[in-house]
């Protein structure tokens, strides 16, 4: 059975999702991108992460095409730009996202990163959208521990459903403090760039060695590595259908102590506080 993660409000969501950054940037690629998302959905990967920023709204339009006729089985996540995160800006941005996504609600709406609008104003606007049924839950992205502490002090701060941050074997600073803080507060972490944007990480000797043992690929091992935490949701992005199929199959992989030790040796865990990286 596919792994799931419980949000603080008790809602249970899939631990593996699909990202959409760089989708919707070129009209000529949109059909293939929507087809990739649909393939993922057919394979059971029903959580989709997008943002008003991606493709300047184009990614949300690609998602609309992919989820048409099957909205009810999707857990749909989008994000508001920090410069839109004011009392009036949030509902207006949300409405534009809903229109592009051709739906009447988001399952989760995130503040993409911290900007200059007061957090209390953004949270107040999120809560109003929740009461109006436009969003089911809200959360944040690229928040470090001090930001999460500030959020937790706000009246409605405890309703925060997730913090979406970078997490892969070459970027594991959150293990020092943010991941434990979120676990303690029962806030799942949504791991972005889980395969390191298919860069140097996929050439890791350790990932290759572990992949061989599991008859898998280094990308699948990187995703399974993030998903070893019970509070982590992983959202790899893939357009190539072979990648979509590989990623959908990662739920079957359970890493052993030996695997984790091999990965630790080449990609050591943090020994001290590291400021949160952002892509
Ligand atoms: N909140 C934030 O600030 C933030 C920042 C970054 C990302 N995100 C979210 O997280 C999602 C994932 O992160 P990401 O897109 O930065 O990076 P990623 O998922 O780590 O990597 C995406 C790249 O990996 C390739 N790929 C996918 N599956 C593969 C596989 N099995 N084997 C080999 N290569 C594979 C993709 O190629 P193809 O597309 O050609 O298949 C693409 O080039 C984003 O799409 C976005 O939704 C959020």
């Amino acid at each position: 059975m596919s792994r799931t993660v419980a949000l603080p409000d008790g809602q249970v969501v899939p631990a593996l999702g699909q990202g959409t950054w760089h989708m919707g940037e070129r009209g000529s690629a949109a059909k293939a991108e929507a087809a990739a998302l649909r393939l993922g959905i057919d394979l059971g990967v029903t959580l989709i992460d997008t943002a008003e920023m991606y493709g300047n709204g184009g990614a949300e339009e690609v998602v609309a095409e992919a989820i048409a006729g099957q909205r009810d089985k999707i857990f749909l996540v989008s994000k508001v730009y920090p410069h839109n995160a004011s009392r009036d800006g949030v509902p207006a941005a949300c409405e534009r996202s809903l229109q592009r996504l051709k739906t009447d609600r988001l399952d989760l709406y995130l503040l993409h990163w911290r900007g200059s609008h007061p957090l209390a104003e953004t949270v107040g606007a999120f809560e109003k959208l929740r009461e109006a049924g436009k969003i089911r839950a809200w959360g944040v992205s690229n928040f470090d521990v001090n930001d999460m502490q500030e959020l937790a002090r706000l009246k409605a701060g405890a309703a925060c459903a997730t913090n979406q941050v970078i997490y892969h074997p070459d970027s594991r600073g959150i293990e020092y403090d943010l991941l434990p803080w979120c676990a303690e507060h029962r806030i799942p972490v949504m791991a972005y760039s889980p395969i390191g944007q298919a860069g140097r990480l996929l050439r890791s000797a350790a990932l290759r060695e572990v992949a061989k043992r599991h008859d898998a690929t280094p990308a699948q091992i990187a995703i399974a590595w993030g998903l070893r935490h019970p509070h982590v949701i992983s959202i790899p992005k893939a357009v190539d259908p072979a990648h979509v199929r590989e990623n959908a199959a990662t739920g079957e992989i359970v890493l052993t102590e030996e695997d984790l030790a091999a990965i630790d040796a080449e990609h050591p865990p943090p020994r001290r506080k590291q400021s949160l990286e952002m892509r």
Side-chain angles (χ1 to χ4, degrees):
M1 214 181 76
S2 317
R3 264 210 36 223
T4 55
V5 170
L7 300 185
D9 66 1
Q11 211 183 156
V12 174
V13 303
L16 181 67
Q18 304 190 71
T20 64
W21 192 17
H22 298 309
M23 290 190 187
E25 292 179 354
R26 288 176 299 124
S28 56
K31 282 253 168 303
E33 291 161 356
L37 291 174
R38 262 197 310 273
L39 173 62
I41 295 166
D42 290 347
L43 295 169
V45 191
T46 52
L47 183 151
I48 297 183
D49 176 78
T50 190
E52 64 172 334
M53 181 185 108
Y54 302 160
N56 203 12
E60 290 181 324
E61 289 169 356
V62 166
V63 172
E65 193 181 329
I67 67 174
Q70 49 183 349
R71 170 69 184 92
D72 288 350
K73 61 165 131 155
I74 305 299
F75 188 87
L76 187 53
V77 186
S78 194
K79 310 185 200 78
V80 60
Y81 264 127
H83 63 254
N84 284 334
S86 62
R87 191 176 292 113
D88 298 331
V90 171
C94 182
E95 209 50 57
R96 291 193 295 271
S97 286
L98 292 175
Q99 273 176 22
R100 284 189 293 262
L101 288 159
K102 296 196 170 73
T103 185
D104 59 355
R105 80 235 177 243
L106 294 173
D107 297 297
L108 184 56
Y109 199 29
L110 309 180
L111 172 60
H112 210 146
W113 64 91
R114 275 203 82 167
S116 56
H117 291 294
L119 209 45
E121 216 181 284
T122 310
V123 168
F126 279 156
E127 281 294 314
K128 276 205 178 131
L129 284 175
R130 191 155 72 112
E131 284 157 21
K134 300 273 184 185
I135 66 173
R136 293 268 162 84
W138 60 265
V140 293
S141 177
N142 297 301
F143 269 41
D144 209 338
V145 173
N146 56 336
D147 301 308
M148 292 306 287
Q149 285 167 335
E150 191 181 328
L151 181 62
R153 285 194 292 272
L154 297 179
K155 209 170 85 198
C160 175
T162 194
N163 183 13
Q164 184 178 117
V165 291
I166 192 166
Y167 187 49
H168 59 72
D170 271 341
S171 183
R172 51 191 298 191
I174 65 167
E175 287 175 23
Y176 187 78
D177 52 354
L178 185 60
L179 202 52
W181 191 96
C182 289
E184 191 189 320
H185 291 79
R186 299 188 182 284
I187 298 174
V189 164
M190 208 177 264
Y192 75 64
S193 306
I195 51 178
Q197 300 179 330
R200 197 184 47 176
L201 177 67
L202 296 189
R203 294 192 292 278
S204 150
L207 291 189
R208 277 155 58 169
E209 171 202 325
V210 173
K212 224 182 232 170
R213 287 209 276 268
H214 289 268
D215 197 15
T217 66
Q220 287 180 308
I221 299 303
I223 297 167
W225 177 87
L227 289 176
R228 76 197 185 285
H229 292 286
H231 297 296
V232 168
I233 296 166
S234 180
I235 48 168
K237 171 263 181 186
V239 175
D240 181 331
H243 291 164
V244 176
R245 287 181 197 283
E246 265 186 26
N247 300 352
T250 51
E252 316 298 321
I253 302 171
V254 179
L255 300 178
T256 64
E257 289 302 319
E258 188 191 359
D259 297 335
L260 295 177
I263 295 170
D264 280 353
E266 189 172 338
H267 309 270
R271 293 238 182 92
R272 65 183 80 84
K273 168 73 187 160
Q274 296 174 2
S275 29
L276 186 60
E277 288 174 52
M278 207 180 135
R279 285 284 177 278

